[in-house]
Amino acid sequence: MNFEAFKQKTLDIFAKNPSLPTPTSEQILKLFELTEIMLEVNKSMNLTAITEESAVILKHYADSVSISAMIPEGARVIDVGCGAGFPTLPLAIFRPDVSILGLDGTAKRIEYVKATAKKLGLSNVDAIAARAEELANKSEYREKFDIATARAVAALPILSEICLPFVKLGGRFVAMKASQGAAEAQAAQNSIKLCGGELINEVEIRLTSDGENYEKRLILVAQKVSPTPSKYPRHYSQISKKPL
């Protein structure tokens, strides 16, 4: 797909999803460049199983920026388990006013995210390879972010304990979930509360590329209302074996 075809497809898909921001030509060009980089690197490194351009636009880009309007101006954001850079890279393209730290346990993926951000001229992106539950116990990262987000990383009772310690008082944890998110939200009530959060919103998003077939997403938003006790997060083996 050449740029003009990619641009038209992107405009068509975003227009069919009114909850999404309208992309500018410059943003679409960066998405096009991101696609080319990702698909080339994907030949030698497992970044994504989604390689058809329309699917990339919908499932990676549209999905990633579905939380754009929930992020305050100038916010400091951490993307926990950023993987191949989603939602980090698309969000950075659409929200140049925010600073985003991509966090993942796989060093090769973090190297890819940092290199790709540099190629795209995204000065608002940094990335670090670390275990989230260990990083959250370091003073320079603990309760320092306005927004923590995570996309398709783990079940919400686990994610809450990992992500909420990064969020400052008054900030928010924004979890990007598929259609099973409502059940997870119910199961995570205790974890969210114990880690200083309060579930304040559940936003259903229906994404489509053709206006007929829809994929349901649920965005769960927890407000940080009190400091996270120092004993959280625990070691990941404890978190996964015995969620709060």
Side-chain angles (χ1 to χ4, degrees), residues 61-88:
Y61 304 157
D63 189 41
S64 290
V65 303
S66 64
I67 64 169
S68 178
M70 301 178 185
I71 301 175
E73 177 129 8
R76 189 180 182 199
V77 180
I78 184 167
D79 176 13
V80 178
C82 68
F86 304 115
T88 291

Side-chain angles (χ1 to χ4, degrees), residues 7-102:
K7 179 178 179 180
Q8 192 56 56
K9 177 58 69 174
T10 302
L11 289 170
D12 287 346
I13 289 175
F14 273 67
K16 287 184 172 71
N17 294 276
S19 63
L20 302 179
T22 301
T24 65
S25 294
E26 183 181 354
Q27 289 166 344
I28 295 173
L29 178 58
K30 287 191 183 295
L31 293 179
F32 179 71
E33 292 170 346
L34 172 57
T35 306
E36 289 193 313
I37 295 168
M38 180 179 69
L39 295 182
E40 183 59 34
V41 174
N42 200 53
K43 293 175 183 177
S44 57
M45 180 180 169
N46 182 26
L47 292 174
T48 179
I50 301 168
T51 57
E52 194 275 320
E53 270 108 345
S54 292
V56 168
I57 294 166
L58 182 73
K59 297 175 183 289
H60 282 327
Y61 304 157
D63 189 41
S64 290
V65 303
S66 64
I67 64 169
S68 178
M70 301 178 185
I71 301 175
E73 177 129 8
R76 189 180 182 199
V77 180
I78 184 167
D79 176 13
V80 178
C82 68
F86 304 115
T88 291
L89 295 172
L91 270 180
I93 290 170
F94 277 77
R95 292 295 306 272
D97 60 297
V98 306
S99 61
I100 305 177
L101 178 67

Side-chain angles (χ1 to χ4, degrees), residues 157-158 161 187 190-191 234 238-244:
I158 294 172
E161 184 173 349
N190 193 53
S191 174
R234 299 165 292 164
Q238 294 176 289
I239 298 173
S240 59
K241 288 177 183 177
K242 194 175 181 181
L244 297 174

Side-chain angles (χ1 to χ4, degrees), residues 156 176-188 199 202 217-220:
L156 194 62
M176 306 173 70
K177 287 292 180 181
S179 55
Q180 81 281 7
E184 288 191 32
Q186 189 64 32
L199 190 64
E202 299 180 21
R217 301 284 192 274
L218 194 65
I219 300 170
L220 303 167

Side-chain angles (χ1 to χ4, degrees), residues 143 164 169 190-198 223-229 232:
E143 299 190 329
L164 277 166
L169 283 177
N190 193 53
S191 174
I192 292 171
K193 183 177 180 181
L194 287 175
C195 291
E198 179 184 349
Q223 185 97 15
K224 188 71 170 280
V225 295
S226 62
T228 302
Y232 303 126

